[in-house]
Amino acid sequence: MDDTFYPGLENVIASETQISYLDVENEEIVIRGYDLMDLARNAKYLDLVALLLDGGFPTSERRNELEQKIKSEYELPVQLFSVLQLLPLNAHMMDVLRTGISALACFETNLDDRSVNANYQRAIRLLAKVPQIVANGYHAVRNEPLIQPRGDLTYTANFLYMITGQIPLPIEADVFDQCLMVYSEHEMPNSTFAARVIASTQSDMYGALTGAAASLKGNLHGGANEAVMNMLQLAGSEAELEALILEKLSRKERIMGFGHRVYMNKPDPRAMLMKEALAHLAKQKNELQLYDKCVVGEFVLKREKNLYPNLDYYAAPVFHLLGIPTELFTPVFLAARTVGISAHVLEQHENNRLFRPRVLYKGPRNLRPPQIV
C-alpha cells in the first residue's frame, strides 16, 4: 500500500469517467467532448441535460421531447410541503432543500432498482421536482402562497418564475439559462465526490443527491456565492468595497469568490462568462454601479493577493439582479448541478466499486488500560 498522504486528496485520481474533465492548461471544461463555455454561449440548458444523461448532443426534437417529459413530472406530493411548512422560519434553505429531497425518496416506487433505465427516470423526476423544492420550499417555510409550475413557460423560465412570482423577461431567462449551464457539471468537486461515494454503497440516487446537498451547503463549496453577495451589499460604493476587502485581508480573513483548488493561477472561465452576463444584465436594469463595484473587487484581489475570481464571485450579483433571494443562491446551484450529479450516479452504478480509502495513522500505540479497582 502506498502510504503517501495527500491532504484533501489534492491531485488524486478517484474515478474514471466519460462525463467531464477540467483541462486547466487549455482553459477548457470538457463535457462529453464539448467545451462547456462553447455550449453556454451557443446551446441551452436542456441541450446540456440531454448531453449529460443521453451521452450525445440532442436534436431539437429530442430536446423538446425531453422538456415535455420533465414537465410531465412537475407534480409534487402534497405531503412534501406539509413537511416543509413545519420547518422554522430561520431554517437554512439548504437544509430545507436537503430535507425535501430526502423526503421525496419516500414516494418513489421500486427505490431498490439500480438499473440504468430506473436511474434515468429518477434523474428526470429530480430535474422536474428539485427546482420546485427550491422555490416553494422557500415560500413554504415563510407561510407564503406556493407558486405552481407553468407548463407554458420553458423549463428555465418556469424555474425563475416559481422563485420570483414574475414571468421573466427574455434577457432574464437567457441569462438564467447560462447560469444553470455553468453550474451544471464540474468534474469531481466535493459534492459530486460525496454523491459517488454514497452511490458506491449501492445507495439510491435520492440518498446520493441528499449527501451532495449537505456537502454543497459549506461556504468552501456552494455557500460561497451567498457570502459574496453579503460582502457586496455591505459596501455601498467601489471605495467602500476596496476598504472592506483590505480590512478583511489585514485580519487574514478568506475573501469568498476568489481562488479555486483547480484554477489557481488563472481565472475560472465560468466566472468570465458570468462577468459578461452581469454587464449585459446590469446595463438593462440600470445597475451598472454593481458591475463596476465587482470589477473593483476583482482588481483589488489580483493586486493584493494575485487571486482570480471563481464562478461564485460573478454569479452572485447575477442571481441578485434576477430577483433571486440570497438564501436561495446555493439551492439554485444544487438544482443546476442535479443533472451532473445524476449522471455521475448513473455512471457509478453502471461500473461500481465501493470507495474504501485508508489512513496514515499518527496516533500512539501499545497503550494499556489502567487497572480498575
Side-chain angles (χ1 to χ4, degrees):
M1 182 181 75
D2 181 5
D3 61 359
T4 305
F5 171 48
Y6 298 95
L9 300 181
E10 187 167 0
N11 294 323
V12 172
I13 304 299
S15 288
E16 289 185 341
T17 183
Q18 296 184 20
I19 297 170
S20 67
Y21 173 65
L22 306 186
D23 186 345
V24 182
E25 293 304 316
N26 293 306
E27 300 182 11
E28 184 178 359
I29 302 169
V30 182
I31 306 290
R32 294 201 186 276
Y34 294 84
D35 181 353
L36 177 60
M37 295 302 98
D38 190 24
L39 291 170
R41 294 181 189 279
N42 298 295
K44 294 294 184 182
Y45 180 67
L46 286 180
D47 292 319
L48 189 52
V49 168
L51 178 62
L52 284 166
L53 296 183
D54 296 347
F57 197 85
T59 62
S60 58
E61 291 80 8
R62 171 56 187 153
R63 183 182 65 213
N64 293 336
E65 176 189 342
L66 180 63
E67 184 167 32
Q68 292 308 312
K69 176 63 175 173
I70 293 172
K71 288 180 177 181
S72 73
E73 296 285 354
Y74 271 165
E75 186 176 357
L76 277 171
V78 293
Q79 301 96 317
L80 187 68
F81 290 113
S82 298
V83 172
L84 298 184
Q85 285 170 337
L86 295 174
L87 300 177
L89 181 62
N90 64 349
H92 194 290
M93 291 312 301
M94 283 302 289
D95 294 332
V96 175
L97 177 56
R98 187 184 66 210
T99 301
I101 295 170
S102 184
L104 197 58
C106 301
F107 299 93
E108 176 76 18
T109 58
N110 300 320
L111 193 59
D112 292 330
D113 186 350
R114 302 287 183 270
S115 68
V116 172
N117 181 63
N119 273 338
Y120 184 92
Q121 298 305 323
R122 288 187 192 104
I124 296 297
R125 285 193 282 276
L126 284 165
L127 283 164
K129 299 177 193 307
V130 168
Q132 283 198 70
I133 299 174
V134 170
N136 280 322
Y138 178 82
H139 301 313
V141 297
R142 284 160 177 75
N143 291 314
E144 298 173 355
L146 304 182
I147 299 177
Q148 297 304 315
R150 288 184 50 163
D152 60 321
L153 298 177
T154 66
Y155 175 83
T156 299
N158 175 69
F159 187 3
L160 190 54
Y161 161 73
M162 287 192 299
I163 293 173
T164 66
Q166 303 292 324
I167 296 177
L169 299 171
I171 187 176
E172 293 172 326
D174 288 343
V175 167
F176 190 51
D177 197 82
Q178 275 197 332
C179 291
L180 298 182
M181 292 186 80
V182 295
Y183 270 120
S184 64
E185 169 58 15
H186 204 226
E187 195 199 84
M188 193 65 78
N190 192 286
S191 52
T192 302
F193 182 54
R196 289 195 77 132
V197 169
I198 293 168
S200 79
T201 71
Q202 285 295 312
S203 185
D204 59 82
M205 188 175 285
Y206 292 93
L209 190 59
T210 300
S215 164
L216 202 63
K217 178 184 176 183
N219 63 12
L220 293 184
H221 192 4
N225 51 19
E226 297 176 20
V228 168
M229 199 63 231
N230 291 332
M231 179 182 71
L232 291 173
Q233 290 179 315
L234 276 176
S237 66
E238 299 166 31
E240 287 183 16
L241 180 61
E242 179 171 6
L244 178 60
I245 290 173
L246 293 176
E247 181 184 352
K248 285 177 173 289
L249 290 177
S250 70
R251 296 197 300 262
K252 301 189 182 304
E253 292 183 19
R254 184 185 181 97
I255 310 297
M256 294 302 175
F258 288 89
H260 194 282
R261 178 70 69 82
V262 178
Y263 309 109
M264 291 183 288
N265 300 310
K266 55 188 65 179
D268 181 338
R270 302 170 302 167
M272 297 300 96
L273 185 66
M274 285 294 97
K275 183 178 181 180
E276 293 176 26
L278 177 61
H280 293 311
L281 201 57
K283 182 178 181 181
Q284 193 271 339
K285 291 180 173 290
N286 197 27
E287 291 279 359
L288 285 173
Q289 182 189 17
L290 178 59
Y291 173 80
D292 293 339
K293 190 163 57 172
C294 291
V295 172
V296 166
E298 178 185 354
F299 173 79
V300 171
L301 263 294
K302 181 68 173 65
R303 182 190 69 201
E304 298 293 326
K305 302 294 289 185
N306 199 33
L307 288 175
Y308 295 94
N310 57 42
L311 171 58
D312 293 316
Y313 183 70
Y314 278 108
V318 168
F319 282 174
H320 176 73
L321 291 185
L322 289 172
I324 300 172
T326 303
E327 303 97 308
L328 289 184
F329 285 9
T330 310
V332 168
F333 180 167
L334 184 80
R337 185 61 58 84
T338 294
V339 64
I341 291 170
S342 297
H344 279 276
V345 173
L346 273 157
E347 188 177 67
Q348 186 67 41
H349 279 166
E350 282 188 77
N351 187 26
N352 189 51
R353 183 173 176 83
L354 178 70
F355 282 95
R356 180 56 172 92
R358 299 295 305 279
V359 300
L360 185 61
Y361 180 67
K362 306 294 283 187
R365 296 285 299 270
N366 302 318
L367 300 181
R368 294 290 183 269
Q371 291 201 357
I372 300 174
V373 179

Coordinates of all heavy atoms in Angstrom, one line a residue, residues 194-263:
A194 N -18.9 13.3 -3.0 CA -19.7 12.7 -1.9 C -20.8 11.9 -2.5 O -21.2 10.8 -2.0 CB -20.3 13.9 -1.1
A195 N -21.4 12.3 -3.6 CA -22.5 11.6 -4.2 C -22.0 10.2 -4.7 O -22.7 9.2 -4.6 CB -23.2 12.4 -5.3
R196 N -20.9 10.2 -5.4 CA -20.3 9.0 -5.9 C -19.9 8.0 -4.8 O -20.1 6.8 -4.9 CB -19.1 9.3 -6.8 CG -19.5 9.9 -8.1 CD -18.4 9.8 -9.2 NE -18.3 8.5 -9.8 CZ -18.3 8.3 -11.1 NH1 -18.3 9.3 -12.0 NH2 -18.1 7.0 -11.5
V197 N -19.4 8.6 -3.7 CA -19.1 7.7 -2.5 C -20.3 7.0 -2.0 O -20.4 5.8 -1.7 CB -18.3 8.5 -1.4 CG1 -18.2 7.7 -0.2 CG2 -16.9 8.9 -1.9
I198 N -21.4 7.8 -1.9 CA -22.6 7.3 -1.4 C -23.2 6.3 -2.3 O -23.6 5.2 -2.0 CB -23.6 8.4 -1.1 CG1 -23.2 9.3 0.1 CG2 -25.0 7.9 -0.8 CD1 -23.9 10.6 0.2
A199 N -23.2 6.6 -3.6 CA -23.7 5.7 -4.6 C -22.9 4.4 -4.7 O -23.5 3.3 -5.0 CB -23.7 6.4 -6.0
S200 N -21.6 4.5 -4.4 CA -20.8 3.3 -4.4 C -21.2 2.2 -3.4 O -20.9 1.0 -3.5 CB -19.3 3.6 -4.2 OG -19.0 3.8 -2.9
T201 N -22.0 2.6 -2.4 CA -22.5 1.6 -1.4 C -23.8 1.0 -1.9 O -24.4 0.2 -1.2 CB -22.9 2.3 -0.1 OG1 -24.0 3.2 -0.2 CG2 -21.7 3.2 0.5
Q202 N -24.2 1.3 -3.1 CA -25.5 0.9 -3.8 C -26.6 1.6 -3.1 O -27.8 1.1 -3.2 CB -25.6 -0.6 -3.7 CG -24.8 -1.4 -4.7 CD -25.2 -1.1 -6.2 OE1 -26.3 -1.1 -6.5 NE2 -24.2 -0.8 -7.0
S203 N -26.4 2.7 -2.5 CA -27.5 3.6 -2.0 C -28.1 4.2 -3.3 O -27.6 4.2 -4.4 CB -27.0 4.7 -1.1 OG -28.0 5.5 -0.6
D204 N -29.3 4.7 -3.1 CA -30.1 5.2 -4.2 C -29.7 6.7 -4.6 O -29.0 7.4 -3.9 CB -31.6 5.1 -3.9 CG -32.0 6.0 -2.7 OD1 -32.2 7.2 -2.8 OD2 -32.1 5.4 -1.6
M205 N -30.3 7.1 -5.8 CA -29.9 8.4 -6.3 C -30.4 9.6 -5.4 O -29.7 10.6 -5.2 CB -30.6 8.6 -7.7 CG -30.1 9.9 -8.4 SD -30.7 10.0 -10.1 CE -29.7 8.8 -10.9
Y206 N -31.5 9.4 -4.7 CA -32.0 10.4 -3.7 C -31.0 10.5 -2.6 O -30.7 11.7 -2.1 CB -33.4 10.0 -3.2 CG -34.5 10.1 -4.2 CD1 -34.8 8.9 -5.0 CD2 -35.2 11.3 -4.5 CE1 -35.8 9.0 -5.9 CE2 -36.2 11.3 -5.5 CZ -36.5 10.2 -6.2 OH -37.5 10.2 -7.1
G207 N -30.5 9.4 -2.1 CA -29.6 9.5 -1.0 C -28.3 10.2 -1.4 O -27.7 11.0 -0.7
A208 N -27.8 9.9 -2.6 CA -26.6 10.5 -3.1 C -26.8 12.0 -3.3 O -25.9 12.8 -3.0 CB -26.2 9.8 -4.5
L209 N -27.9 12.4 -3.8 CA -28.2 13.8 -4.0 C -28.4 14.5 -2.7 O -28.0 15.7 -2.5 CB -29.4 14.1 -4.9 CG -29.6 15.5 -5.4 CD1 -28.5 16.0 -6.2 CD2 -30.9 15.6 -6.2
T210 N -29.0 13.9 -1.7 CA -29.1 14.4 -0.4 C -27.7 14.7 0.3 O -27.4 15.7 0.9 CB -29.9 13.5 0.6 OG1 -31.2 13.3 0.0 CG2 -30.0 14.1 2.0
G211 N -26.8 13.7 0.1 CA -25.4 13.9 0.6 C -24.7 15.0 -0.1 O -24.0 15.8 0.5
A212 N -25.0 15.1 -1.4 CA -24.4 16.2 -2.2 C -24.9 17.6 -1.7 O -24.1 18.5 -1.6 CB -24.7 16.1 -3.7
A213 N -26.1 17.6 -1.3 CA -26.7 18.9 -0.8 C -26.0 19.3 0.5 O -25.7 20.4 0.7 CB -28.2 18.7 -0.6
A214 N -25.8 18.3 1.4 CA -25.1 18.6 2.6 C -23.7 19.1 2.4 O -23.2 20.0 3.1 CB -25.1 17.3 3.5
S215 N -23.0 18.5 1.4 CA -21.7 19.0 1.0 C -21.7 20.4 0.5 O -20.9 21.3 0.9 CB -21.1 18.0 0.0 OG -19.9 18.6 -0.6
L216 N -22.7 20.7 -0.4 CA -22.7 21.9 -1.1 C -23.1 23.1 -0.1 O -22.8 24.3 -0.4 CB -23.7 21.9 -2.2 CG -23.6 22.9 -3.3 CD1 -22.3 22.7 -4.1 CD2 -24.7 22.7 -4.3
K217 N -23.6 22.8 1.0 CA -24.0 23.8 2.0 C -22.8 24.6 2.5 O -22.9 25.8 2.8 CB -24.8 23.2 3.1 CG -25.2 24.2 4.2 CD -25.9 23.6 5.4 CE -26.2 24.5 6.5 NZ -26.8 23.9 7.7
G218 N -21.7 23.9 2.6 CA -20.5 24.6 3.2 C -20.0 25.7 2.4 O -20.0 25.7 1.1
N219 N -19.5 26.8 3.1 CA -19.1 28.0 2.4 C -17.8 27.9 1.6 O -17.4 28.8 0.9 CB -19.1 29.2 3.3 CG -18.1 29.1 4.4 OD1 -17.3 28.2 4.4 ND2 -18.2 30.0 5.4
L220 N -17.1 26.7 1.8 CA -15.9 26.5 0.9 C -16.3 25.8 -0.4 O -15.4 25.6 -1.2 CB -14.9 25.6 1.7 CG -14.2 26.2 2.9 CD1 -13.2 25.3 3.5 CD2 -13.6 27.6 2.6
H221 N -17.6 25.6 -0.5 CA -18.1 24.9 -1.8 C -19.2 25.8 -2.3 O -19.0 26.9 -2.8 CB -18.5 23.5 -1.5 CG -18.8 22.7 -2.7 ND1 -18.5 23.1 -4.0 CD2 -19.2 21.4 -2.8 CE1 -18.8 22.1 -4.8 NE2 -19.3 21.1 -4.2
G222 N -20.4 25.4 -2.2 CA -21.5 26.1 -2.8 C -21.9 27.4 -2.0 O -22.4 28.4 -2.6
G223 N -21.7 27.4 -0.7 CA -22.2 28.5 0.1 C -21.4 29.8 -0.2 O -21.8 30.9 0.4
A224 N -20.4 29.7 -1.0 CA -19.5 30.9 -1.2 C -20.3 32.0 -1.9 O -20.1 33.2 -1.7 CB -18.3 30.5 -2.0
N225 N -21.3 31.6 -2.8 CA -22.0 32.7 -3.6 C -22.8 33.6 -2.7 O -22.9 34.8 -2.9 CB -22.8 32.1 -4.7 CG -23.7 31.0 -4.2 OD1 -24.0 30.8 -3.1 ND2 -24.1 30.1 -5.2
E226 N -23.4 33.0 -1.6 CA -24.1 33.8 -0.6 C -23.2 34.8 0.1 O -23.6 36.0 0.3 CB -24.9 32.9 0.3 CG -25.9 32.0 -0.3 CD -26.6 31.1 0.6 OE1 -26.5 31.3 1.8 OE2 -27.1 30.0 0.1
A227 N -22.0 34.3 0.5 CA -21.1 35.1 1.2 C -20.6 36.3 0.3 O -20.4 37.4 0.8 CB -19.9 34.3 1.7
V228 N -20.5 36.0 -1.0 CA -20.1 37.1 -1.9 C -21.1 38.2 -1.9 O -20.8 39.4 -1.8 CB -19.9 36.5 -3.3 CG1 -19.8 37.7 -4.4 CG2 -18.6 35.7 -3.4
M229 N -22.4 37.8 -2.0 CA -23.4 38.8 -2.1 C -23.5 39.6 -0.8 O -23.8 40.8 -0.9 CB -24.8 38.2 -2.4 CG -25.8 39.1 -3.0 SD -25.3 39.8 -4.6 CE -25.5 41.6 -4.2
N230 N -23.4 39.0 0.3 CA -23.4 39.7 1.6 C -22.3 40.7 1.6 O -22.5 41.8 2.1 CB -23.3 38.7 2.7 CG -24.5 37.8 2.9 OD1 -25.6 38.2 2.5 ND2 -24.3 36.6 3.4
M231 N -21.1 40.4 1.1 CA -20.0 41.3 1.1 C -20.3 42.5 0.2 O -20.1 43.6 0.6 CB -18.7 40.6 0.7 CG -17.5 41.5 0.6 SD -16.0 40.7 0.1 CE -16.4 40.4 -1.7
L232 N -20.8 42.2 -1.0 CA -21.1 43.3 -1.9 C -22.2 44.2 -1.4 O -22.1 45.4 -1.6 CB -21.6 42.7 -3.3 CG -20.6 41.9 -4.1 CD1 -21.2 41.2 -5.3 CD2 -19.4 42.9 -4.5
Q233 N -23.1 43.7 -0.6 CA -24.2 44.5 -0.1 C -23.7 45.4 1.1 O -24.3 46.4 1.4 CB -25.4 43.7 0.3 CG -26.1 43.1 -0.9 CD -27.3 42.3 -0.6 OE1 -27.2 41.4 0.3 NE2 -28.4 42.5 -1.3
L234 N -22.7 44.9 1.8 CA -22.1 45.7 2.9 C -21.4 46.9 2.4 O -21.4 47.9 3.2 CB -21.1 44.8 3.7 CG -21.6 43.9 4.8 CD1 -20.5 43.0 5.4 CD2 -22.4 44.6 5.8
A235 N -20.9 46.9 1.2 CA -20.2 48.0 0.7 C -21.1 48.8 -0.2 O -21.6 48.3 -1.2 CB -18.9 47.5 -0.1
G236 N -21.2 50.1 0.1 CA -22.1 50.9 -0.7 C -21.5 51.5 -1.9 O -22.2 52.1 -2.8
S237 N -20.2 51.4 -2.1 CA -19.5 52.0 -3.2 C -18.3 51.2 -3.5 O -17.9 50.3 -2.8 CB -19.2 53.5 -2.9 OG -18.2 53.5 -1.9
E238 N -17.7 51.6 -4.7 CA -16.4 50.9 -5.0 C -15.3 51.1 -4.0 O -14.6 50.2 -3.6 CB -16.0 51.4 -6.4 CG -16.9 51.2 -7.5 CD -16.6 52.0 -8.8 OE1 -15.4 52.3 -9.0 OE2 -17.6 52.4 -9.5
A239 N -15.2 52.3 -3.5 CA -14.2 52.7 -2.5 C -14.5 51.9 -1.2 O -13.5 51.4 -0.5 CB -14.2 54.2 -2.2
E240 N -15.8 51.8 -0.8 CA -16.1 51.0 0.4 C -15.8 49.5 0.2 O -15.3 48.9 1.2 CB -17.6 51.2 0.8 CG -17.9 52.6 1.3 CD -19.4 52.7 1.7 OE1 -20.0 51.7 1.9 OE2 -19.8 53.9 1.9
L241 N -16.0 49.0 -1.0 CA -15.7 47.6 -1.2 C -14.2 47.4 -1.1 O -13.7 46.4 -0.5 CB -16.2 47.1 -2.5 CG -15.9 45.7 -2.9 CD1 -16.5 44.7 -1.9 CD2 -16.3 45.3 -4.3
E242 N -13.4 48.3 -1.7 CA -11.9 48.1 -1.6 C -11.5 48.2 -0.1 O -10.7 47.4 0.3 CB -11.2 49.2 -2.4 CG -9.7 49.1 -2.3 CD -9.0 50.0 -3.3 OE1 -9.7 50.8 -3.9 OE2 -7.7 49.9 -3.3
A243 N -12.0 49.1 0.6 CA -11.7 49.2 2.0 C -12.1 48.0 2.8 O -11.3 47.5 3.7 CB -12.3 50.5 2.6
L244 N -13.3 47.5 2.5 CA -13.7 46.3 3.2 C -12.8 45.1 2.9 O -12.5 44.3 3.8 CB -15.2 46.0 2.8 CG -15.8 44.7 3.4 CD1 -15.9 44.8 4.9 CD2 -17.2 44.5 2.8
I245 N -12.4 44.9 1.7 CA -11.6 43.8 1.3 C -10.2 43.9 2.0 O -9.7 43.0 2.5 CB -11.4 43.7 -0.2 CG1 -12.7 43.3 -0.9 CG2 -10.3 42.8 -0.6 CD1 -12.7 43.4 -2.4
L246 N -9.7 45.2 2.0 CA -8.4 45.4 2.6 C -8.4 45.1 4.1 O -7.5 44.5 4.7 CB -7.9 46.8 2.4 CG -7.5 47.1 0.9 CD1 -7.1 48.6 0.7 CD2 -6.4 46.2 0.4
E247 N -9.5 45.5 4.7 CA -9.7 45.2 6.2 C -9.8 43.7 6.4 O -9.2 43.2 7.4 CB -11.0 45.9 6.7 CG -11.3 45.7 8.1 CD -12.6 46.3 8.6 OE1 -13.2 47.0 7.8 OE2 -13.0 46.0 9.7
K248 N -10.5 43.0 5.6 CA -10.6 41.6 5.8 C -9.2 40.9 5.6 O -8.9 40.0 6.3 CB -11.6 41.0 4.8 CG -13.1 41.2 5.1 CD -14.0 40.7 4.1 CE -15.5 40.7 4.4 NZ -15.8 39.8 5.5
L249 N -8.5 41.4 4.6 CA -7.2 40.8 4.4 C -6.2 41.1 5.5 O -5.4 40.2 5.9 CB -6.6 41.4 3.1 CG -7.3 40.9 1.8 CD1 -6.7 41.6 0.6 CD2 -7.2 39.4 1.6
S250 N -6.4 42.3 6.1 CA -5.5 42.6 7.3 C -5.8 41.7 8.4 O -4.9 41.4 9.3 CB -5.7 44.1 7.7 OG -7.0 44.3 8.3
R251 N -7.0 41.2 8.5 CA -7.4 40.2 9.6 C -7.2 38.8 9.2 O -7.6 37.9 9.9 CB -8.8 40.5 10.0 CG -9.1 41.8 10.6 CD -10.4 41.8 11.4 NE -11.6 41.5 10.5 CZ -12.4 42.4 10.0 NH1 -12.2 43.7 10.2 NH2 -13.4 42.0 9.2
K252 N -6.6 38.6 8.0 CA -6.3 37.3 7.4 C -7.6 36.5 7.2 O -7.6 35.3 7.3 CB -5.3 36.5 8.2 CG -3.9 37.3 8.4 CD -2.9 36.4 9.0 CE -1.6 37.1 9.2 NZ -1.0 37.7 8.0
E253 N -8.6 37.2 6.8 CA -9.9 36.5 6.5 C -9.9 36.1 5.1 O -9.3 36.7 4.2 CB -11.1 37.4 6.8 CG -11.3 37.8 8.3 CD -12.6 38.7 8.4 OE1 -13.4 38.7 7.5 OE2 -12.7 39.3 9.5
R254 N -10.6 35.0 4.8 CA -10.7 34.5 3.5 C -11.8 35.3 2.7 O -12.8 35.6 3.3 CB -11.2 33.0 3.5 CG -11.2 32.4 2.1 CD -11.8 31.0 2.2 NE -11.9 30.3 0.9 CZ -11.0 29.5 0.4 NH1 -9.9 29.2 1.1 NH2 -11.1 29.0 -0.8
I255 N -11.5 35.8 1.5 CA -12.4 36.5 0.7 C -13.2 35.5 -0.2 O -12.5 34.9 -1.1 CB -11.8 37.6 -0.1 CG1 -10.8 38.5 0.7 CG2 -12.8 38.4 -0.9 CD1 -11.6 39.2 1.8
M256 N -14.4 35.3 0.0 CA -15.2 34.3 -0.7 C -15.3 34.8 -2.2 O -15.5 36.0 -2.4 CB -16.5 34.1 -0.1 CG -16.4 33.4 1.3 SD -15.6 31.8 1.1 CE -15.5 31.3 2.9
G257 N -15.3 33.8 -3.1 CA -15.5 34.2 -4.5 C -14.2 34.3 -5.2 O -14.1 34.6 -6.4
F258 N -13.1 34.0 -4.5 CA -11.7 34.1 -5.1 C -10.9 32.9 -4.8 O -11.0 32.3 -3.7 CB -11.0 35.4 -4.6 CG -11.6 36.7 -5.2 CD1 -12.6 37.3 -4.5 CD2 -11.1 37.2 -6.4 CE1 -13.1 38.5 -5.0 CE2 -11.6 38.4 -6.9 CZ -12.6 39.0 -6.2
G259 N -10.1 32.5 -5.8 CA -9.3 31.3 -5.6 C -10.1 30.0 -5.9 O -11.3 30.0 -5.7
H260 N -9.4 29.0 -6.3 CA -10.0 27.7 -6.7 C -9.0 26.7 -6.6 O -7.8 26.9 -7.0 CB -10.6 27.8 -8.0 CG -11.6 26.7 -8.3 ND1 -11.2 25.4 -8.7 CD2 -12.9 26.6 -8.3 CE1 -12.2 24.7 -8.9 NE2 -13.3 25.4 -8.7
R261 N -9.3 25.5 -6.1 CA -8.4 24.4 -6.0 C -7.8 24.0 -7.3 O -6.6 23.6 -7.4 CB -9.1 23.2 -5.3 CG -8.2 21.9 -5.2 CD -7.1 22.1 -4.1 NE -7.7 22.2 -2.8 CZ -8.0 21.1 -2.0 NH1 -7.9 19.9 -2.5 NH2 -8.5 21.3 -0.8
V262 N -8.5 24.2 -8.4 CA -8.1 23.8 -9.7 C -7.5 25.0 -10.5 O -6.4 25.0 -11.0 CB -9.2 23.1 -10.5 CG1 -8.7 22.8 -11.9 CG2 -9.6 21.8 -9.8
Y263 N -8.3 26.1 -10.5 CA -7.9 27.3 -11.2 C -7.0 28.2 -10.3 O -7.5 29.2 -9.8 CB -9.1 28.1 -11.7 CG -10.1 27.2 -12.5 CD1 -11.3 26.9 -11.9 CD2 -9.8 26.8 -13.8 CE1 -12.2 26.2 -12.6 CE2 -10.7 26.0 -14.5 CZ -11.9 25.7 -13.9 OH -12.8 25.0 -14.6

